[in-house]
Amino acid sequence: MAKRDYYETLEVNKSCDDKNLKSAFRKLAKKYHPDHNPGNKEAENKFKEISEAYDRLKDPETRAAYDRFGHAAFENNNTSRGGAGFDSNFSSSFSDIFNDFFGDAGSSNQGSTGRGSDLRYNMEITLEEAFKGKSDTINVTMSASCDKCNGSGSKKGTSPIDCPQCHGSGKVRASQGFFTVERTCSSCQGQGRIIVNPCESCNGQGRVQKPKKLSVEIPAGIEDGNRIRLSGQGEAGVRGGTVGDLYIFLSLKTHSFFQRDGADIFCNVPVSMATAALGGQIEIPTVDGGKTRVTIPEGSQNTKQFRLRGKGMPILRQKRFGDMYLQITVETPLKLSKKQKELLKEFEKLSSKENNPESHGFFEKIKEFWGGVNK
């Protein structure tokens, strides 16, 4: 019986590019793969056909030969690729396709044991604690190595045996027509060993749930969102596998009047209208728990900012500090008494453009604007 046209077999046009050719093969290979059609001889033959077609057409040289001479190009060893059959490197040439189907099935390590999971612990601290740093103790419940079997999973006095299916390799090979697929052993889950007499305490897992106390050192200058890694303090691995890590994620509580930006501290300070006009001194707290005096110059305007060098947060793992920024908010007095109102009215009468240059200049510009519009 005459062979079908390779392009027809792959259900593509003769002018298709490499990308579409590969995509067509993947689609058909997945459809007719023997694993998806166990015992179906027709599907197996179909899979061989599309595999042969792709093997010829994916190589530019053999594809060009086929386009010119058809199947005759591969008869009587007319090409260096081994005639009408498949070359000895056929399986390796399809590794990129098989990985789509089997993933990392063939990459298990001999006698491997499962690494324990990494754990996350959320911790909230105050700004003052972030400034000074702190030592703390946390309580976590995690999978820890079973004391009764020392993490082996086997009953005391017994030992695991080599898996009879994979002979301790952790992987098995299965022939599928003309190629061989390597997979993780299903009997031992790739570990290569089987527990014959499981430990009663951990049911053969080699680990049990236990509460644990851990000491944590939080360095000065730690920021919101930073994390601290405690190596080897996560969950125990299965049957003596490597222990995971514990990650502590830090978050800072909202402060009543300080705001933080990196190593700098910001604080809004309300001052009276009289203090802003006449000047004076105010006493404010600092993040280290102390206090400092700040001189407000005469005639200070709303949102005026003051910088206090070195009064901010420590910079993590350095001996330097950020700065502290104060911004004043001039407060308009409320609930004035009759006497206060009279004094303010008197003050208003005595005021001149030198006392309120910004408002005076603004309204002068408005008058000029209206004058120009009327003209």
Side-chain angles (χ1 to χ4, degrees):
M1 185 175 68
K3 279 189 176 182
R4 289 180 67 196
D5 179 83
Y6 284 152
Y7 293 105
E8 183 182 340
T9 299
L10 293 174
E11 300 178 4
V12 294
N13 296 322
K14 192 173 181 179
S15 59
C16 75
D17 58 17
D18 292 342
K19 183 178 179 182
N20 290 329
L21 185 74
K22 187 174 184 180
S23 177
F25 171 71
R26 287 185 174 183
K27 180 181 177 181
L28 293 171
K30 191 171 184 180
K31 180 179 178 180
Y32 293 106
H33 194 280
D35 275 3
H36 298 160
N37 303 274
N40 189 333
K41 195 68 178 176
E42 184 180 348
E44 183 177 341
N45 291 333
K46 183 71 174 176
F47 185 77
K48 289 180 180 180
E49 285 184 18
I50 61 177
S51 299
E52 179 184 345
Y54 180 70
D55 186 46
R56 294 306 187 191
L57 298 182
K58 72 184 181 72
D59 184 277
E61 292 184 8
T62 55
R63 182 175 179 177
Y66 179 74
D67 289 346
R68 186 174 181 183
F69 301 108
H71 292 296
F74 311 115
E75 295 174 358
N76 301 320
N77 292 329
N78 284 340
T79 71
S80 61
R81 297 182 60 81
F86 297 105
D87 61 34
S88 60
N89 294 321
F90 173 74
S91 295
S92 62
S93 70
F94 285 90
S95 61
D96 59 330
I97 304 297
F98 294 152
N99 283 337
D100 289 346
F101 304 145
F102 307 116
D104 296 327
S107 62
S108 59
N109 295 322
Q110 182 173 344
S112 64
T113 52
R115 181 183 183 276
S117 300
D118 293 334
L119 298 178
R120 172 174 179 152
Y121 184 91
N122 296 324
M123 178 183 287
E124 190 176 50
I125 60 175
T126 65
L127 186 65
E128 289 81 4
E129 289 171 334
F131 179 88
K132 297 176 181 178
K134 65 177 290 191
S135 299
D136 205 352
T137 301
I138 61 173
N139 297 296
V140 292
T141 300
M142 65 179 70
S143 294
S145 179
C146 177
D147 294 332
K148 204 163 186 177
C149 65
N150 293 321
S152 70
S154 291
K155 191 174 181 179
K156 193 172 183 180
T158 66
S159 300
I161 63 170
D162 284 346
C163 174
Q165 184 169 336
C166 66
H167 306 291
S169 67
K171 50 193 175 182
V172 293
R173 293 182 177 182
S175 295
Q176 299 288 351
F178 49 85
F179 64 92
T180 300
V181 177
E182 191 173 76
R183 296 181 178 178
T184 300
C185 177
S186 59
S187 295
C188 64
Q189 285 75 50
Q191 295 185 17
R193 309 274 280 172
I194 289 180
I195 305 295
V196 180
N197 298 297
C199 169
E200 296 175 355
S201 180
C202 65
N203 296 318
Q205 291 297 308
R207 56 184 186 177
V208 292
Q209 290 290 314
K210 288 182 181 179
K212 196 172 184 180
K213 277 190 175 182
L214 297 172
S215 296
V216 182
E217 291 294 329
I218 300 171
I222 198 85
E223 294 191 37
D224 188 86
N226 283 168
R227 67 181 187 178
I228 298 172
R229 177 189 176 198
L230 300 183
S231 181
Q233 297 296 342
E235 289 196 331
V238 178
R239 300 174 192 170
T242 308
V243 181
D245 301 328
L246 175 66
Y247 290 90
I248 299 174
F249 283 74
L250 277 299
S251 61
L252 266 61
K253 295 179 181 177
T254 302
H255 201 275
S256 54
F257 44 84
F258 288 136
Q259 295 86 43
R260 180 181 183 181
D261 184 6
D264 294 329
I265 293 292
F266 293 82
C267 183
N268 289 320
V269 182
V271 298
S272 68
M273 187 175 66
T275 301
L278 301 175
Q281 284 194 333
I282 57 173
E283 194 170 68
I284 58 166
T286 50
V287 70
D288 60 359
K291 54 187 177 181
T292 186
R293 286 183 176 274
V294 177
T295 299
I296 306 297
E298 180 180 319
S300 293
Q301 299 298 306
N302 190 47
T303 71
K304 181 177 176 60
Q305 200 172 74
F306 301 86
R307 179 182 183 185
L308 306 181
R309 294 183 181 275
K311 292 293 184 179
M313 296 290 291
I315 299 174
L316 190 63
R317 298 184 182 88
Q318 296 186 29
K319 295 183 179 180
R320 298 187 298 118
F321 288 78
D323 300 328
M324 182 174 179
Y325 292 88
L326 304 179
Q327 182 171 287
I328 65 170
T329 301
V330 179
E331 185 177 23
T332 302
L334 304 172
K335 299 180 181 179
L336 299 174
S337 66
K338 185 179 180 181
K339 181 65 174 177
Q340 289 173 322
K341 290 179 181 179
E342 290 175 354
L343 291 173
L344 282 177
K345 287 177 181 178
E346 184 65 24
F347 173 78
E348 183 70 16
K349 290 178 182 179
L350 296 173
S351 295
S352 63
K353 64 179 181 180
E354 284 77 18
N355 301 130
N356 303 287
E358 288 192 22
S359 60
H360 179 81
F362 176 77
F363 288 109
E364 285 296 321
K365 288 179 181 179
I366 287 179
K367 289 179 182 178
E368 293 175 4
F369 172 76
W370 283 336
V373 170
N374 292 333
K375 286 181 181 179

